Amino acid sequence: MSSFSQFDLRGYPTVDVRTGYEQWSASYERTVEDFMDLALLDRLRQPGWARVERAADLGCGTGRTGAWLRARGVAAIDGVDLTAGMLALAAQRGAHDRLVEADATATGLPSAGYDLVVACLMDEHLPGLVPLYAEAARLARPGALFVLVAFHPHFIMTSGMPTHYTDGSGAQRAITTHVHLVSDQIEAGLGTGWTLAEMQENVVDDSWLAAKPKWGRFRGHPFALALVWRR
């Protein structure tokens, strides 16, 4: 893991993860775009989504990922998030069978209870990756998949931009951000008993720039990655 502070070009006041997402929850849906994460899920070959009996959605947020999974035939989904505000929005969306307020690395969900574990755009808030991969392994049935979608470390380092939001006063706030190299992901996965089954990356392209045209200088740079692990 590399320290984000050496790359930070924004200098926003930083808040902890729980505080940040609680404050961000009201405007989150207006600031996160599908091309950041759901577009990568669309490209994956490995999961047969409609064959999934039960999924665990770690860091489920407002329920975007859960709704995407439901639309593709996932039968049952349990969601976990750290903040009550995000969970309230997920409950309104109605994609999850169960919602739990807990840390994604210590969910309290049943061991070996899931044939799919998903974590989207949340690992950058963890100081280390092993606890997340270990918890996913605990939740997984034999043969289960763990799908992780993450901000690409190249983009975090090159842009110097932390995960951030605008608070109620109009001020920019950063949420504690860590940089995890791709090799950190691989080491954490292999070290907790997973086998890598697929990897996809997306880059800043026309669809990205249509929503965020000021990032034209990053055209072609990798923005996010998806890893599919098999138990």
Side-chain angles (χ1 to χ4, degrees):
M1 183 189 72
S2 300
S3 171
F4 173 71
S5 62
Q6 65 186 297
F7 305 109
D8 187 6
L9 297 179
R10 298 296 183 94
Y12 298 146
T14 300
V15 299
D16 64 85
V17 177
R18 189 188 300 272
T19 298
Y21 278 94
E22 196 67 57
Q23 294 181 355
W24 193 9
S25 60
S27 61
Y28 185 84
E29 291 285 326
R30 299 194 297 273
T31 53
V32 176
E33 304 284 351
D34 288 355
F35 60 76
M36 295 180 177
D37 54 352
L38 301 184
L40 266 176
L41 294 179
D42 269 324
R43 288 171 52 192
L44 295 177
R45 300 183 301 271
Q46 289 290 319
W49 306 108
R51 295 194 297 272
V52 174
E53 295 180 4
R54 181 165 291 276
D57 182 7
L58 307 186
C60 67
T62 61
R64 292 173 62 255
T65 304
W68 188 94
L69 293 170
R70 280 287 194 194
R72 281 146 188 82
V74 174
I77 309 167
D78 292 340
V80 176
D81 202 86
L82 195 61
T83 57
M86 288 287 189
L87 288 170
L89 293 170
Q92 291 176 18
R93 193 173 233 129
H96 296 86
D97 297 86
R98 179 187 179 194
L99 290 166
V100 178
E101 185 176 341
D103 192 299
T105 64
T107 64
L109 296 176
S111 297
Y114 301 89
D115 45 347
L116 174 67
V117 181
V118 178
C120 288
L121 302 186
M122 50 77 71
D123 71 290
E124 80 273 16
H125 301 306
L126 302 174
L129 294 171
V130 170
L132 175 65
Y133 277 88
E135 178 67 355
R138 184 187 70 80
L139 297 174
R141 297 168 179 163
L145 296 178
F146 174 36
V147 178
L148 182 141
V149 178
F151 287 115
H152 203 291
H154 171 83
F155 190 80
I156 295 175
M157 292 186 286
T158 303
S159 68
M161 182 174 62
T163 299
H164 63 283
Y165 66 99
T166 304
D167 69 13
S169 70
Q172 294 290 319
R173 303 284 181 186
I175 301 174
T176 302
T177 298
H178 302 277
V179 179
H180 301 298
L181 301 178
V182 177
S183 59
D184 296 330
Q185 302 279 0
I186 302 304
E187 184 176 3
L190 296 178
T192 51
W194 292 97
T195 298
L196 185 62
E198 184 178 356
M199 176 177 171
Q200 296 284 344
E201 297 168 287
N202 72 357
V203 300
V204 176
D205 57 11
D206 289 342
S207 63
W208 208 96
L209 294 173
K212 298 182 181 293
K214 68 179 181 179
W215 292 99
R217 68 186 186 279
F218 292 111
R219 180 185 290 276
H221 286 249
F223 173 74
L225 63 89
L227 298 166
V228 180
W229 297 91
R230 186 177 299 279
R231 193 69 182 159

